[in-house]
Amino acid sequence: MMKQTYKQLINYALLLFMLAISSCKNSERENIALGKREKKPLTIAKEKWHWNSGKDQDTMAGYAQVVKSGKVIYISGVPTNDLSPKGISGVYERLNQCLKAFGATSKNVVKETLYTTDIEAMKKYNGARKAFYKDDFPAASWVQVSRLYEPDATLEIELIAHLEGVEE
């Protein structure tokens, strides 16, 4: 009986030893893999469009009007100083131009952020906005601000659109 218990203890000790060695080797491999991952620079593929200007970005102000990364396009804010149905429609026409640059339409828009100096006027003329989306509205945030980048601007709208299903 004593011999059998001793044998079981040796087998158990051997099993623990093998597990410990295996664990150390896995940790070593993980550390090497992590080390390689940390050294590899992160690169994100981006395509840019900037108002058919022949340039992909405005280096003076430091922005691109549209950046595409993967199947998502990010459209920088389009401003107006005309907070009327005509002015609002004009902003959405320019946003549509941005979408078309990547073969998208208002149906691809998933998020809209609207900045205005007069939220009550924007509420009053919301019909111009709704016409753009044709009853397929995105997630939206409306924010009243005291001032926009362009000093006389009263409205600026930015969009995020998903290109799933759009032929490239």
Side-chain angles (χ1 to χ4, degrees):
M1 185 85 163
M2 184 81 138
K3 203 175 192 182
Q4 190 175 7
T5 304
Y6 182 67
K7 211 175 196 182
Q8 285 176 333
L9 277 172
I10 289 176
N11 284 338
Y12 182 67
L14 187 57
L15 180 63
L16 285 175
F17 179 72
M18 289 172 62
L19 284 171
I21 288 174
S22 173
S23 177
C24 288
K25 285 185 180 179
N26 283 341
S27 292
E28 195 173 301
R29 276 189 229 120
E30 287 170 5
N31 288 339
I32 290 169
L34 284 174
K36 285 182 183 175
R37 229 180 287 138
E38 288 172 8
K39 292 177 189 172
K40 186 178 178 182
L42 177 63
T43 55
I44 298 172
K46 295 183 207 173
E47 290 179 55
K48 298 179 182 180
W49 179 86
H50 194 80
W51 299 121
N52 288 328
S53 64
K55 297 178 181 178
D56 60 357
Q57 58 191 6
D58 177 333
T59 54
M60 241 167 90
Y63 83 106
Q65 187 57 42
V66 184
V67 175
K68 177 183 178 254
S69 181
K71 290 277 191 182
V72 179
I73 59 173
Y74 302 88
I75 301 175
S76 296
V78 173
T80 186
N81 61 357
D82 181 6
L83 201 50
S84 71
K86 182 181 176 191
I88 295 166
S89 293
V91 169
Y92 283 103
E93 286 170 21
R94 297 203 70 198
L95 289 166
N96 194 47
Q97 190 180 0
C98 297
L99 290 164
K100 280 184 177 178
F102 287 96
T105 69
S106 63
K107 299 284 184 201
N108 297 93
V109 176
V110 295
K111 177 70 170 98
E112 170 193 71
T113 306
L114 182 148
Y115 302 95
T116 183
T117 57
D118 186 351
I119 202 127
E120 294 308 317
M122 191 57 217
K123 286 179 187 179
K124 181 178 175 182
Y125 302 126
N126 190 24
R129 174 186 167 272
K130 287 180 173 182
F132 174 74
Y133 291 112
K134 301 174 187 103
D135 292 327
D136 184 20
F137 305 113
S141 298
W142 290 21
V143 182
Q144 182 166 309
V145 295
S146 61
R147 181 175 169 223
L148 295 160
Y149 181 79
E150 292 183 10
D152 62 340
T154 54
L155 172 67
E156 186 167 329
I157 301 170
E158 62 185 28
L159 302 176
I160 299 173
H162 198 279
L163 298 175
E164 195 64 42
V166 173
E167 289 188 31
E168 293 184 50

